[in-house]
Amino acid sequence: MTDGALADSALRARATLELVSDWTATPEQWQRVIRLLAQLDHAIDRRDATALRAAADALEDLDAYRDPGRVGETPPGPPPPPVLERVPKLVDRIGRLRAGRHA
């Protein structure tokens, strides 16, 4: 994968991550977010533009398709601590990746 593709994917991932702290979601949806954040982390480790883009797209899709919850389910809430702790670290790693430094 080219450095340009990696930079484009990193930019997309960063833009999506910057929105996550404003989301509300059900606990199940937050678990999906946590799994996608792990995928982003692994893609950064591998400098894999395709995997980075796929994880960012899947994360962005969660924002578009989140529902308000169903009667009897735990209502949507703000990001849990594991999400709030991981997002800024990923944004920082993506910034270093885009700068060409070891992420």
Side-chain angles (χ1 to χ4, degrees), residues 7-27:
D8 289 346
S9 294
L11 186 62
R12 174 74 175 262
R14 183 178 180 157
T16 301
L17 286 169
E18 290 174 345
L19 301 174
V20 172
S21 64
D22 293 330
W23 293 355
T24 59
T26 65

Side-chain angles (χ1 to χ4, degrees), residues 20-78:
V20 172
S21 64
D22 293 330
W23 293 355
T24 59
T26 65
E28 296 80 16
Q29 291 164 330
W30 285 124
Q31 287 305 308
R32 174 83 173 124
V33 168
I34 289 169
R35 287 191 297 276
L36 289 169
L37 295 178
Q39 289 177 17
L40 282 171
D41 216 2
H42 293 300
I44 293 168
D45 287 343
R46 296 187 318 269
R47 298 181 57 86
D48 184 337
T50 302
L52 188 61
R53 173 66 75 129
D57 287 349
L59 191 59
E60 187 175 1
D61 287 347
L62 284 181
D63 184 40
Y65 296 107
R66 285 181 294 117
D67 63 49
R70 294 175 184 84
V71 175
E73 286 185 348
T74 304

